[in-house]
Amino acid sequence: MTGRRSRALGLATAAALATVPLVVRRDDVLNFLFLVLLSVTLAESWNIVAGYAGQVNLGHAAFFGLGALTTRALWIAGAPVLGAMVAGAAVAVGFALLIGAAAFRLRGAYFAIGTLALGEILRITVGNVRAEISTLPAATIAGYRLAHRYYLALALAAAAVAVVAALGGSRLGLGMRAIREDEEAAEASGVGALRLKLLALALSTALAGLAGGLFAYYHISYYPAHPFSPTWTFDALLITFIGGVGTVHGPVLGAVFYVFLKEYLAIRWVDFHLLIFGLLFVAIVLLLPGGLVEAAARLGALARARVLTAIRK
Amino acid sequence: MTPLFQQLVLGLLIGGLYGLAAAGLSLVFGVLKVLNVAHGQLIMLGGYGAFWLFALRGLDPFASLAVVIPAALVAGGVLYWTLFGWVVRAPEETRVKNSLLIGFGLALALEAAAVRLWTADERSVTTGYAGAVLTVAGLAVPVVRLASLALALALCGGLHLVLARWRWGRAIRATAEDWEAALMTGIDVRRAYLLAFALGTALAGAAGTLVSVGYSISPSIGLEWTLKALIVVVLAGLGSMLGTFVGGLVLGLAEAVSATVFGGPYREVVGLVVFFVVLVARPRGLFVR
Amino acid sequence: MLEVRGVEAAYGPFLALSGVTLTARPGEIVALLGPNGAGKTTLIRCITGLLRPRAGGIRWEDAPLDRVPAHAIVERGIAVVPEGRRLFGAMTVEENLELGAFVPRARPQRAARLEHVYTIFPMLRERRRQITRALSGGQQQMVAIGRALMAGPKLLLLDEPSLGLAPRLVESIFDVLREINRSGVSILLVEQNVQAALTLSHRAYLLEAGRVAGEGSAAALLDDPRVRRAYLGPLAR
Ligand SMILES: Nc1ncnc2c1ncn2[C@@H]1O[C@H](COP(=O)(O)OP(=O)(O)OP(=O)(O)O)[C@@H](O)[C@H]1O
Ligand SMILES: [Mg+2]
């Protein structure tokens, strides 16, 4: 898709989604869309560091969790929710920069398992320190408006997509992709690899922290360790890969597909979606590294070729 | 709170299983340069194999090793043919990364399948002698766990012998060191890969069986066991199965100490922190010789 | 008999061999000479099946060799002492040697061959239980040659066996090669030590930038003023 056309399409989609709460009064629809939008944000945020900079971060949930933890605490203590979310993002980024310099000494799969360990360290520690369930005060529950959460999720998802789209065409994004393809060569041609990787991580974790804040704002009660669970990382990874890793549209497409199937299948068979997604994911890694986006592009090209030959005849 | 020495005994006992769990992962990683993050899920399946044999056929869990190990060998062969055999064609860096992703998808699928087959409940194989306890110098030593430790040692030792003496065992070691040189000496490295993967899976199956007797299994234990095995591999390095076993014991003891010092819930954290620090301190030296 | 005909080989877009033709007849020692980067190792990799030629063909004993999988080449009777030796450094000397006799055709005689290798290189018998990595460069080269001999080859390929060795050692290694050849093994020897290689071999090929730039009997090439200038120049004694 060309830049202008896809931007127009994106704006139109966002506008259409913005009218949904005005038209649809059903909470289940809003909840479903909320989940899609949260997933878009989380997946796009993971996509920055993993898809563009090529660093498979398996500890992504830690940053989502830190955002949730901070936001929830500040918000319940009386801070405005937007301020609390920004603080959550700041904490996530701060932690990312703290561990980033060390973690980025690791390459490829070692970075992946190293960050997986980091995520687990945080999850277990938070589970130990904050073992009790976190529930909103009664007054807040009474004033709970789903539409507020929905609009926040929409704004965040739109921002995430915009960030990734802007990154895609920028020098920054180009440098990140150079690192993904060949870090040594990138370094040799003057790309400051560590600086760019840290930048990618900061961008990525800022969005993840905001998404965590949104999670904290959305849920009435949950265990504080839950947003630290590696399943959040895995969701982001599945969505991004199924949709198309390192693309702007991939995570969006992936999120719609993933959440739809997940919710649909979960009604019938608990956890069955993971069996399907696990296998689908393996198939995509082996056979279709470009994900749904590439599949769509190929189908599109095929169809165009058909049409063209038909016209010529 | 359990006194330190009792903790150490228990740590040593489970450490043997960490060693066994790591031995399979280490073999596969060392030879194929493939990081199978579904290793823990294979352990989990081994545990359910033993659980099934016990529940349906009344087979003693230790005896069921004689069924689980061959079955896991075959399963490993199938997994190699269908999945990991495709990855080894790629150059090394892509190989590790792709294997990680494939292992990850496999892990999800296996875990979900296990939930469907056996529900998400925790299970363990409770034999008639499950409660037997030896008392040595005032310390309680559960007999089943002691037997598991001995078996884990025997299996690691057995693998060591296989790799040292068997013709194809040597071929596997040669392939691990330099696959091109192995090709040039006439070794079919694909076959060496297949054998190593099957052996690694068999060890995972055996480890799972032992876990199901002395401890407990559920579909979700996979990630935890993968991490334990990874920690041991990082601590012990590649290349020596007995070294890996000792690495497992060390992790068990370290967990025991940290559980006593920081409290039980932090048992896991210490190993992970050590893992991360060691990994970062030796980012390249670790896995290359 | 080995026949290489018009072989082209490439690393990605880079053409390392552009049409190389050479032969090695039974009982011959053939030297393959050329400057760094000429493509000598690349040709060895093609013959041993590690690299597939892009064009041309390789035949061995009147059957095509270039579709045979790499691990099956040894079984056909071709063994190699690769560039840089490529020993299994964490294994003992004897394990390395035994791995040389891994293929089925070599297994029946492996005890006798091991004895034979130990007779040629008595040093290795003393160090048979040592880890190969701990050996000196010269001893490692002996292990590499011994490992190739364990396969009982009809054709032995050697890629710069003298690299990094003291002159006296080179001499004794070349003596061993002469002995091996007398026992009926053909040899294709890649060398930068042109003088020594031409003294040892019957015929030689000059490889330059991926092409054969000259060939002939070793004696004729030794006397050829052009060869003397290009290859033996300052080193000529
Ligand atoms: N793996 C590779 N990838 C890309 N190019 C390569 C590779 N190996 C060799 N080359 C190139 O192919 C050419 C021939 O290399 P080759 O190793 O065959 O030379 P050689 O004659 O053996 O040289 P030397 O005397 O240094 O061993 C060289 O220009 C080299 O740079
Ligand atoms: Mg060379």
Side-chain angles (χ1 to χ4, degrees):
Chain A
M1 247 183 284
T2 58
R4 186 172 303 171
R5 255 176 64 199
S6 69
R7 197 172 315 151
L9 189 70
L11 283 175
T13 313
L17 283 170
T19 62
V20 170
L22 309 175
V23 185
V24 182
R25 292 267 165 240
R26 283 171 48 184
D27 278 1
D28 59 343
V29 174
L30 284 191
N31 277 321
F32 173 81
L33 289 175
F34 175 89
L35 272 183
V36 172
L37 293 167
L38 180 66
S39 302
V40 168
T41 310
L42 195 61
E44 289 285 15
S45 74
W46 191 77
N47 191 24
I48 293 173
V49 76
Y52 283 80
Q55 310 298 311
V56 179
N57 175 7
L58 290 187
H60 202 57
F63 307 103
F64 182 75
L66 282 173
L69 195 71
T70 312
T71 304
R72 188 79 163 192
L74 294 177
W75 180 44
I76 288 185
V81 69
L82 286 178
M85 280 172 68
V86 169
V91 169
V93 172
F95 182 70
L97 295 179
L98 199 69
I99 55 105
F104 280 134
R105 281 170 57 88
L106 304 171
R107 296 284 160 88
Y110 309 118
F111 177 78
I113 55 176
T115 46
L116 180 64
L118 275 179
E120 283 296 276
I121 292 171
L122 248 69
R123 180 184 66 82
I124 297 168
T125 309
V126 169
N128 290 340
V129 177
R130 305 282 299 270
E132 322 76 36
I133 201 160
S134 158
T135 304
L136 290 180
T140 318
I141 297 176
Y144 190 95
R145 292 285 172 279
L146 182 55
H148 293 176
R149 275 77 184 164
Y150 176 84
Y151 279 119
L152 201 52
L154 179 59
L156 209 52
V161 174
V163 165
V164 174
L167 195 65
S170 70
R171 269 176 54 89
L172 212 62
L174 212 65
M176 286 178 192
R177 264 171 293 179
I179 292 171
R180 178 185 69 193
E181 295 314 326
D182 186 343
E183 184 161 346
E184 251 111 68
E187 190 85 65
S189 62
V191 176
L194 179 63
R195 200 180 60 89
L196 269 194
K197 286 198 284 186
L198 282 174
L199 213 76
L201 186 68
L203 262 179
S204 161
T205 53
L207 285 171
L210 288 173
L214 180 64
F215 174 92
Y217 181 51
Y218 173 73
H219 279 284
I220 290 175
S221 66
Y222 62 88
Y223 285 99
H226 176 60
F228 287 85
S229 156
T231 51
W232 294 100
T233 306
F234 299 165
D235 278 359
L237 186 152
L238 284 175
I239 289 170
T240 309
F241 267 90
I242 289 173
V245 66
T247 66
V248 180
H249 309 96
V252 180
L253 220 62
V256 174
F257 181 65
Y258 183 79
V259 176
F260 178 76
L261 271 193
K262 181 174 165 176
E263 294 296 299
Y264 176 72
L265 292 173
I267 296 171
R268 301 244 196 113
W269 305 295
V270 182
D271 267 0
F272 197 66
H273 65 286
L274 286 178
L275 185 62
I276 292 181
F277 283 115
L279 297 176
L280 185 65
F281 174 77
V282 169
I284 282 180
V285 171
L286 281 178
L287 307 173
L288 195 72
L292 287 179
V293 165
E294 190 186 311
R298 280 196 201 165
L299 282 178
L302 202 69
R304 264 196 299 284
R306 284 267 169 83
V307 171
L308 278 181
T309 43
I311 290 173
R312 282 207 196 97
K313 277 178 191 167
Chain B
M1 202 170 83
T2 336
L4 178 62
F5 282 107
Q6 183 62 54
Q7 285 277 13
L8 287 177
V9 168
L10 295 177
L12 203 63
L13 290 173
I14 195 158
L17 295 193
Y18 294 165
L20 184 60
L25 187 73
S26 169
L27 180 67
V28 169
F29 189 49
V31 179
L32 287 82
K33 312 291 182 285
V34 148
L35 191 54
N36 178 15
V37 288
H39 194 72
Q41 277 73 19
L42 297 178
I43 292 175
M44 177 268 291
L45 286 186
Y48 276 107
F51 172 74
W52 239 0
L53 288 168
F54 179 76
L56 301 180
R57 301 248 163 250
L59 194 61
D60 181 87
F62 290 112
S64 71
L65 279 175
V67 181
V68 171
I69 289 179
L73 266 175
V74 174
V78 171
L79 279 180
Y80 179 80
W81 277 121
T82 50
L83 295 180
F84 291 94
W86 300 97
V87 196
V88 295
R89 290 156 200 252
E92 200 156 311
E93 194 149 318
T94 346
R95 192 194 292 192
V96 180
K97 215 158 162 178
N98 278 357
S99 70
L100 183 103
L101 295 173
I102 287 178
F104 169 77
L106 179 66
L108 280 182
L110 291 180
E111 194 169 321
V115 172
R116 305 226 26 93
L117 279 171
W118 298 291
T119 77
D121 296 342
E122 263 195 21
R123 319 245 182 191
S124 75
V125 177
T126 322
T127 55
Y129 49 85
V133 172
L134 274 177
T135 308
V136 184
L139 298 172
V141 182
V143 173
V144 173
R145 293 188 187 187
L146 187 63
S148 294
L149 174 70
L151 274 169
L153 177 60
L155 285 165
C156 286
L159 180 66
H160 173 79
L161 282 182
V162 161
L163 293 179
R165 299 282 160 79
W166 184 37
R167 189 164 93 96
W168 274 99
R170 285 181 177 170
I172 287 173
R173 281 160 61 215
T175 304
E177 234 185 283
D178 185 341
W179 63 270
E180 276 192 348
L183 270 181
M184 286 189 274
T185 47
I187 294 166
D188 181 352
V189 302
R190 291 278 168 77
R191 189 138 159 219
Y193 286 157
L194 169 70
L195 285 171
F197 197 87
L199 279 173
T201 309
L203 288 180
T209 302
L210 298 181
V211 172
S212 77
V213 209
Y215 307 88
S216 64
I217 53 171
S218 77
S220 60
I221 61 168
L223 178 62
E224 193 184 321
W225 278 92
T226 298
L227 281 170
K228 301 272 190 214
L230 273 173
I231 294 170
V232 174
V233 170
V234 162
L235 286 179
L238 294 171
S240 159
M241 286 308 137
L242 296 176
T244 305
F245 184 77
V246 173
L249 298 183
V250 170
L251 177 61
L253 290 175
E255 285 188 358
V257 172
S258 59
T260 316
V261 177
F262 302 106
Y266 288 95
R267 165 184 291 273
E268 323 275 315
V269 173
V270 173
L272 288 168
V273 170
V274 171
F275 170 74
F276 186 73
V277 170
V278 173
L279 203 57
V280 169
R282 302 160 61 193
R284 274 154 196 269
L286 199 60
F287 298 105
V288 291
R289 287 159 206 269
Chain C
M1 166 142 129
L2 178 76
E3 284 183 83
V4 176
R5 206 162 287 285
V7 160
E8 283 181 22
Y11 299 100
F14 176 76
L15 197 62
L17 295 180
S18 37
V20 171
T21 299
L22 62 78
T23 55
R25 288 186 278 270
E28 258 190 330
I29 303 183
V30 176
L32 183 59
L33 311 171
N36 289 96
K40 307 179 297 290
T41 301
T42 305
L43 184 62
I44 298 285
R45 288 173 69 83
C46 287
I47 300 172
T48 51
L50 290 179
L51 192 66
R52 293 285 166 217
R54 233 177 46 172
I58 303 173
R59 293 176 72 79
W60 166 245
E61 296 184 329
D62 295 321
L65 197 64
D66 40 10
R67 290 284 165 266
V68 176
H71 65 86
I73 301 268
V74 187
E75 181 66 22
R76 304 278 172 111
I78 301 178
V80 59
V81 178
E83 183 173 45
R85 301 189 273 274
R86 307 289 285 263
L87 295 172
F88 304 115
M91 299 197 190
T92 66
V93 168
E94 192 155 299
E95 280 178 322
N96 268 278
L97 295 176
E98 297 240 336
L99 277 165
F102 183 83
V103 294
R105 80 186 293 260
R107 285 179 57 70
Q109 288 113 296
R110 73 182 191 286
R113 291 229 174 86
L114 192 63
E115 200 46 44
H116 177 60
V117 169
Y118 285 150
T119 329
I120 306 177
F121 302 117
M123 182 95 78
L124 297 186
R125 192 198 298 275
E126 288 165 34
R127 313 206 170 224
R128 51 206 272 242
R129 302 248 171 272
Q130 279 190 18
I131 296 298
T132 316
R133 197 185 292 123
L135 266 51
S136 73
Q139 292 161 352
Q140 291 195 11
Q141 194 58 263
M142 294 175 197
V143 179
I145 294 175
R147 184 176 69 182
L149 287 181
M150 288 295 291
K154 292 181 239 175
L155 172 66
L156 182 60
L157 312 173
L158 297 111
D159 196 343
E160 304 204 25
S162 72
L163 196 71
L165 300 190
R168 273 216 359 249
L169 252 169
V170 174
E171 221 168 279
S172 70
I173 296 254
F174 275 43
D175 286 343
V176 166
L177 294 183
R178 187 174 289 118
E179 280 310 309
I180 293 169
N181 174 248
R182 290 218 176 103
S183 70
V185 179
S186 318
I187 291 179
L188 179 62
L189 173 68
V190 170
E191 258 307 330
Q192 298 232 9
N193 189 339
V194 173
Q195 174 92 37
L198 285 180
T199 314
L200 176 73
S201 56
H202 304 126
R203 288 192 307 119
Y205 291 85
L206 306 177
L207 202 62
E208 268 169 33
R211 302 174 183 282
V212 175
E215 61 174 291
S217 78
L221 285 174
L222 256 181
D223 288 338
D224 188 330
R226 280 180 314 149
V227 173
R228 296 190 68 85
R229 234 189 349 267
Y231 292 93
L232 300 170
L235 290 171
R237 266 171 279 173

